[in-house]
Amino acid sequence: MPNLNKLRAAISGGRGGDPATGSPLSRLTRLRITLTLFFALDGFLFAGWVVRIPAIKQQTGASASDLGLALLGVSAGAVVTMMFTGRMCRRFGSHPVTVVSSVLLALSIALPAQTHSALTLGLVLVVFGAAYGSLNVSMNSAAVDLVAALRRPVMSSFHAAFSLGGMAGAGLGGLVAGTLSASAHLFALTGVGLLVTALAGPSLLRHTVPTAAGPAVTPTGESTPRRLDRRTRRLVVLFGVIALCTAYGEGALADWGALHLAQDLDAGAGLAAAGYSLFALAMTVGRLSGTALLERLGQTRTLVAGGALAALGMLLGALAPTIWLALLGFAITGLGLANIFPVAVARAGALAGPSGVAAASTLGYGGMLLGPPAIGFLADWFSLPVALTTVALLAAAAALIAYSARNVSAPEPATSTEVPADDQARPGAPTEAPVVPRH
């Protein structure tokens, strides 16, 4: 209990602290810590589900293609709720929506282990995916606003927390896979999710939301969507396509990585689970260095190099003849993909606020929507290793799209309350004109 009290005090600003009375910097710091906890929790819960996929596949008796269709429920539920979540964030604020979504995600993660057929598994995964998609849009919207207030490209640090949570969740899942049933494991994750939300949620609800570029704020304090011109909408779609190409890879490794190691390379349950854990660790390392990398190289070089590296890594991971080479390929893929999705979502959010985050996320999770059934059917028609090479193809496509957009610029903001001119050139400023900085 003392440790829980210390955590509660830290994220709320101290004993009896009120975020509204602190300095702007301390409020932003506390908000960053709290949001980081939600990103980490999201990754932890999702990875906990991922590493139990082989056990639930056996429990339901599903074939590879049946499992692919069932896994479609996660992405379908996420995509359906994402645009709706953007509107909810504009109406109620991204912080309350984040807390509610976190509770729903924690409750829904226990459902897959209660199913005994591919059909019922797919149905409950729609519920799980809806909560997962809602949490991702709302917390990313809150993070975009915070990035704008901090005026630094720190979006990758939040996604690093997601990857770190994923690594911890996958590592824990690997440790208990041989001794704890999937049902008991996922019920325990429900308890963890509710506990962390109870600790961090009140702090998030008390913080005021920094105003980001995108939606205008009325004199009454209500957020109203800024009308976007056609050029800006095209730029948001562009970033969404980049997110789609990379989310396809993340979803493929999450859904099929452990199965590839177990089926094709005869890895044990613990080592198969370690594949996703290693991938998450590599993404964590890449994202922790993402701020420095973006400030040094800019977005174009970061996106192009990341896509190329991920393509090479996935070719190795999919086609390697040994477990250890495949694990090395997974790690290289994680390093390459690390910063692509965060940059795409952050830029879309800077252009169009929660609607931009929702649009880019919807397209991004469209990659996950296409991925599970596509890889499942390709695995039945050819083989799972061949199916996983499509991840390399889309990673290379993301690099090409980013390079082709290197000279594209967004229109200047219409409001007069944006960042001063001398701040616009700073990395991560919300009104930064280049979509992908010129080099």
Side-chain angles (χ1 to χ4, degrees):
M1 289 303 296
N3 289 333
L4 296 181
N5 290 334
K6 289 179 181 179
L7 175 60
R8 186 183 293 110
I11 61 180
S12 63
R15 188 182 301 274
D18 183 356
T21 63
S23 66
L25 181 59
S26 65
R27 289 201 303 272
L28 295 178
T29 300
R30 289 195 295 271
L31 178 55
R32 185 176 179 182
I33 293 171
T34 304
L35 276 176
T36 299
L37 286 175
F38 277 99
F39 273 86
L41 176 64
D42 187 41
F44 181 80
L45 295 180
F46 186 74
W49 141 249
V50 163
V51 299
R52 301 318 296 243
I53 288 177
I56 293 175
K57 177 180 183 293
Q58 183 178 10
Q59 174 181 304
T60 58
S63 66
S65 57
D66 288 339
L67 179 62
L69 289 173
L71 292 173
L72 181 64
V74 178
S75 298
V79 169
V80 166
T81 59
M82 278 179 169
M83 294 307 293
F84 174 74
T85 303
R87 292 193 292 270
M88 294 295 288
C89 287
R90 288 197 302 268
R91 181 172 180 180
F92 300 107
S94 56
H95 292 183
V97 178
T98 296
V99 173
V100 172
S101 300
S102 181
V103 171
L104 295 176
L105 181 65
L107 293 174
S108 63
I109 197 172
L111 298 178
Q114 310 307 310
T115 62
H116 297 280
S117 71
L119 176 60
T120 56
L121 176 62
L123 292 175
V124 301
L125 288 180
V126 171
V127 179
F128 175 72
Y132 180 70
S134 180
L135 179 58
N136 274 267
V137 169
S138 56
M139 69 183 183
N140 272 289
S141 296
V144 165
D145 289 343
L146 183 57
V147 167
L150 291 172
R151 304 189 190 285
R152 292 193 65 213
V154 299
M155 191 69 168
S156 291
S157 69
F158 293 113
H159 288 259
F162 173 87
S163 297
L164 186 60
M167 182 189 67
L172 178 63
L175 289 176
V176 304
T179 58
L180 198 64
S181 70
S183 179
H185 180 200
L186 296 184
F187 266 123
L189 293 183
T190 293
V192 171
L194 293 176
L195 178 61
V196 173
T197 303
L199 290 171
S203 175
L204 188 64
L205 293 174
R206 285 196 299 268
H207 280 93
T208 57
V209 183
T211 301
V217 178
T218 66
T220 62
E222 296 179 352
S223 178
T224 59
R226 183 179 52 144
R227 188 173 185 83
L228 303 177
D229 59 31
R230 183 178 302 174
R231 183 188 180 99
T232 302
R233 288 196 296 270
R234 285 200 302 266
L235 297 178
V236 170
V237 171
L238 176 70
F239 286 115
V241 172
I242 293 175
L244 182 152
C245 292
T246 56
Y248 180 97
E250 292 187 51
L253 280 172
D255 291 344
W256 297 100
L259 209 57
H260 168 56
L261 294 174
Q263 285 186 177
D264 301 313
L265 299 175
D266 297 321
L271 194 56
Y276 183 75
S277 182
L278 184 61
F279 171 75
L281 173 61
M283 291 198 77
T284 302
V285 172
R287 286 170 171 176
L288 286 173
S289 60
T291 298
L293 192 66
L294 286 163
E295 289 178 334
R296 180 178 294 271
L297 299 181
Q299 292 175 351
T300 295
R301 291 192 182 104
T302 299
L303 293 173
V304 172
L309 187 64
L312 293 175
M314 198 60 234
L315 286 176
L316 178 62
L319 303 178
T322 67
I323 295 173
W324 301 110
L325 282 177
L327 290 174
L328 176 62
F330 283 9
I332 294 173
T333 304
L335 287 173
L337 294 180
N339 294 298
I340 301 178
F341 192 93
V343 169
V345 171
R347 290 302 299 132
L351 287 166
S355 294
V357 173
S361 297
T362 301
L363 283 169
Y365 282 93
M368 292 187 181
L369 184 69
L370 296 172
I375 290 178
F377 285 121
L378 287 172
D380 275 350
W381 295 337
F382 301 101
S383 68
L384 184 54
V386 171
L388 288 173
T389 61
T390 58
V391 174
L393 293 176
L394 289 183
L400 289 174
I401 294 170
Y403 181 76
S404 68
R406 65 193 181 280
N407 294 321
V408 177
S409 61
E412 293 297 325
T415 60
S416 59
T417 58
E418 303 294 347
V419 182
D422 59 346
D423 285 335
Q424 290 183 6
R426 298 178 61 184
T431 56
E432 183 183 13
V435 171
V436 187
R438 301 181 179 88
H439 300 292

